[in-house]
Amino acid sequence: MTTPSQAPIIRLQGVEKWYGNFQVLTDINLDVRAGERIVICGPSGSGKSTMIRCINRLEAIQKGQITVDGTDLTGDSKAIDTIRKEVGMVFQQFNLFPHLTIVENCMLAPMRSRGLSKAEAQERAMHYLTRVRIPDQAHKYPSQLSGGQQQRVAIARALCMAPKIMLFDEPTSALDPEMVKEVLDTMIGLAEDGMTMLCVTHEMGFARSVADRVIFMADGKIIEQGPPAAFFDNPQHPKTQQFLGQIL
Ligand code: ADP
Ligand code: MG
């Protein structure tokens, strides 16, 4: 594993967000160093998805500041375009384009927003499909693949944009149990290559072996965080203890 450098690539300062009258995020402060691997966990509805969606500006915030790779996300739409290219995201639902083949799914964004030629995009797509170990599925359509294979395509598709940061929002939650490992193995490979990763997941084995830091959220706040061993073996906050008691 590479050693994470010290410069924060993501910085959230005093972030507050409301949906109407409902405050979903309260005073979120978080620095992520380049190369750091973070697992975010917490009860359903605690604001995990909202927080990571704010990091690639799928959601706007009402107060505070988010900086990603030196770009202030509260800035103009050009800043947002810049960030979207640098931050890849993988969702619980794979969100592949059903009418495009696997390789076409991977070629679209690099051609549209990175200016790659068709040949370059295809070469890059095949490179990452090989990396997630499904080059042989390239000319099929998403519906012809298993859930685990589709999720690996979603990861390859994000990687084709050459992002500096990868966000995962419960990437294995919609999968049949026998397919969870193949997706986690792909994520472990990425971590070993030094990718900066924020993963919302309740896969605690993954968190223990891969995370540099585990963050626990409840009621829209970061309640507790620490290295996995300390977090799992000696949680401090009663809400963390209660949560871990339910899932472990
Ligand atoms: P988590 O990912 O931890 O389960 P979410 O970030 O999805 O939590 O949601 C946090 C809270 O915000 C929940 O109470 C949810 O119902 C609410 N919420 C999420 N998205 C919206 C939305 N678009 N409009 C209104 N409320 C929302
Ligand atoms: Mg969620």
Side-chain angles (χ1 to χ4, degrees), residues 62-218:
Q62 279 79 47
K63 204 171 155 214
Q65 194 175 32
I66 302 181
T67 315
V68 178
D69 196 27
T71 301
D72 179 357
L73 281 201
T74 36
D76 55 18
S77 57
K78 197 158 164 260
I80 296 163
D81 286 348
T82 307
I83 281 322
R84 293 265 169 86
K85 289 181 200 161
E86 306 301 342
V87 183
M89 182 144 181
V90 174
F91 303 88
Q92 181 174 339
Q93 303 301 336
F94 327 121
N95 296 342
L96 299 176
F97 301 114
H99 61 291
L100 296 180
T101 64
I102 297 310
V103 67
E104 287 167 349
N105 263 277
C106 295
M107 290 165 62
L108 192 63
M111 287 171 68
R112 284 201 181 157
S113 6
R114 289 276 195 203
L116 266 62
S117 71
K118 197 172 171 188
E120 289 167 334
Q122 182 158 21
E123 190 187 338
R124 189 182 286 190
M126 290 312 300
H127 170 81
Y128 285 110
L129 288 172
T130 303
R131 183 149 156 205
V132 302
R133 292 181 287 107
I134 38 175
D136 47 319
Q137 308 293 320
H139 298 290
K140 292 188 181 170
Y141 286 88
S143 61
Q144 297 174 286
L145 270 59
S146 72
Q149 289 174 323
Q150 288 189 57
Q151 192 59 299
R152 285 187 281 150
V153 173
I155 294 171
R157 180 175 65 172
L159 293 175
C160 282
M161 285 293 280
K164 291 185 177 165
I165 297 160
M166 284 285 287
L167 308 175
F168 293 88
D169 192 357
E170 303 207 37
T172 60
S173 298
L175 298 176
D176 291 334
E178 71 272 21
M179 292 170 191
V180 168
K181 185 176 181 297
E182 65 189 57
V183 171
L184 291 179
D185 284 347
T186 304
M187 294 168 66
I188 290 168
L190 264 184
E192 286 170 347
D193 287 348
M195 178 65 79
T196 305
M197 296 168 61
L198 276 77
C199 312
V200 177
T201 180
H202 293 158
E203 291 291 337
M204 293 303 145
F206 173 82
R208 265 190 195 270
S209 60
V210 172
D212 299 300
R213 184 157 42 130
V214 181
I215 288 179
F216 177 74
M217 290 183 73

Side-chain angles (χ1 to χ4, degrees), residues 2-12 30-38 67 69 164-166 194-198 211-213 215 225-227:
T2 52
T3 312
S5 80
Q6 291 308 307
I9 190 167
I10 301 171
R11 170 164 277 185
L12 283 75
L30 177 65
D31 275 0
V32 180
R33 299 184 307 277
E36 202 175 6
R37 296 157 290 247
I38 291 185
T67 315
D69 196 27
K164 291 185 177 165
I165 297 160
M166 284 285 287
M195 178 65 79
T196 305
M197 296 168 61
L198 276 77
D212 299 300
R213 184 157 42 130
I215 288 179
Q225 56 181 304

